[in-house]
Amino acid sequence: MGTTHSVARAITPCIFVDRVPTEVRAQIFSYVLAREEPIYFRYTLPKNAEGQRKRKWVIDNDGSLLPGPDLDNTTALLRTCKTFRAEASEVLFSTNSFVFPSTTAVTKFLEEIGAPKHAIKALIIERYVLSTAEQFWHSLVPLVNLRTITLPHYELCQTRARPVKLHAVQQYMEPLLEVLHAARTAREKDVDLRSLIRLKVSKIPCWWCRNDHRLKDFRDPHYDQCTTACGTQAAAAEHAKLVGRIEGLIAATMKETQEKSR
Ligand SMILES: [Zn+2]
Ligand SMILES: [Zn+2]
């Protein structure tokens, strides 16, 4: 490299940023950052030199909580420079789905990452934390591109002894639904938000749903098959009912907001 180049060259000494169009860079980033599998985010609380603990987000697809080659590739790209960071995060967030251990973790993550969060499309969450539910739904409001939030069935199961109150969920969700509706209308995209929330059934169907049906008398010849046969069926029926209720609540909220805006 010569020393006679212009000042501009000295400020942004990168051909990739200077001469390659943004769309082409996005394409290149997507080769590195787009995954088939969802990306697992976890946080650790390592001590720094002063002995204070600071939250550190790690990609943890192998469950080891150790920085692996995956993490190194992704974060190395994000750390390269400001332009890279902004553009690569946009690609990272818009082309992948992200798994978080809890709704509380999602809220913390969104607080920390700032602007690029708007690109997030799909969240998969393992625990619904009641005590922070309102903050959780509120923290999703800037995610104007959000398409799906997957929650485990058993967390919202209505056959539990003390089920999550769905009308409270509906209330907390309202600002997000309004924002998503407006964003999708503006882009002339499908505005049916009923499938925003997805419920995932674990490999073994929900205990509460199955147990509701379980035959109590072990002398009955049907007893042995009951749990697997009827229990699974009962769980599937309960699951469909829950999905229907949540879709219904979203539809009702949307109808209300549309009437308000008229
Ligand atoms: Zn259930
Ligand atoms: Zn049975």
Side-chain angles (χ1 to χ4, degrees):
M1 225 180 275
T3 49
T4 52
H5 286 298
S6 66
V7 178
R9 183 80 193 266
I11 294 165
T12 52
C14 176
I15 295 172
F16 198 49
V17 172
D18 281 347
R19 312 230 180 114
V20 179
T22 315
E23 312 84 72
V24 177
R25 272 204 305 275
Q27 189 71 45
I28 296 167
F29 286 141
S30 75
Y31 292 136
V32 185
L33 300 171
R35 310 278 170 84
E36 301 260 321
E37 296 286 302
I39 294 175
Y40 281 71
F41 269 119
R42 295 279 183 274
Y43 63 80
T44 56
L45 290 165
K47 268 188 195 163
N48 63 13
E50 287 86 50
Q52 292 153 330
R53 294 196 178 272
K54 201 173 175 284
R55 197 176 1 258
K56 189 171 171 246
W57 292 95
V58 295
I59 291 171
D60 185 37
N61 276 31
D62 59 0
S64 65
L65 274 183
L66 293 170
D70 266 6
L71 173 72
D72 295 344
N73 280 341
T74 308
T75 51
L77 191 55
L78 294 179
R79 265 194 254 116
T80 319
C81 73
K82 247 188 178 170
T83 310
F84 264 39
R85 192 183 169 81
E87 292 181 3
S89 339
E90 178 110 19
V91 173
L92 175 73
F93 290 129
S94 63
T95 53
N96 293 292
S97 16
F98 299 96
V99 187
F100 285 90
S102 69
T103 44
T104 314
V106 172
T107 305
K108 288 188 177 126
F109 182 78
L110 295 175
E111 275 165 14
E112 286 166 29
I113 59 161
K117 65 187 167 195
H118 80 97
I120 294 175
K121 281 195 179 133
L123 291 172
I124 302 162
I125 304 160
E126 292 171 342
R127 272 198 63 219
Y128 186 79
V129 183
L130 262 187
S131 57
T132 55
E134 191 170 4
Q135 292 99 299
F136 162 69
W137 289 106
H138 186 78
S139 70
L140 298 182
V141 172
L143 310 190
V144 291
N145 291 294
L146 198 57
R147 298 199 65 86
T148 58
I149 306 162
T150 306
L151 292 163
H153 164 102
Y154 65 84
E155 292 277 336
L156 296 178
C157 183
Q158 294 297 297
T159 61
R160 291 171 80 140
R162 272 200 230 144
V164 166
K165 292 188 180 74
L166 291 182
H167 66 87
V169 175
Q170 180 186 23
Q171 218 177 10
Y172 298 154
M173 232 181 354
E174 200 182 319
L176 172 68
L177 291 174
E178 280 177 23
V179 161
L180 290 179
H181 184 267
R184 291 194 192 179
T185 310
R187 278 175 286 150
E188 291 175 8
K189 284 208 170 138
D190 169 30
V191 289
D192 189 355
L193 290 164
R194 275 177 305 175
S195 55
L196 176 71
I197 298 185
R198 294 190 184 164
L199 295 179
K200 196 176 157 208
V201 190
S202 50
K203 282 193 191 104
I204 303 160
C206 176
W207 185 85
W208 291 283
C209 288
R210 274 186 304 152
N211 205 47
D212 224 23
H213 168 83
R214 193 149 66 189
L215 201 65
K216 303 291 187 293
D217 185 357
F218 65 88
R219 284 163 305 182
D220 192 302
H222 174 68
Y223 183 86
D224 282 343
Q225 298 128 41
C226 187
T227 311
T228 44
C230 306
T232 308
Q233 230 174 58
E238 280 296 337
H239 180 73
K241 211 161 93 184
L242 183 57
V243 170
R245 274 193 73 183
I246 292 173
E247 286 183 359
L249 291 177
I250 294 177
T253 311
M254 293 322 299
K255 212 176 146 216
E256 262 174 52
T257 46
Q258 273 160 306
E259 274 161 15
K260 255 194 282 172
S261 66
R262 244 172 233 155

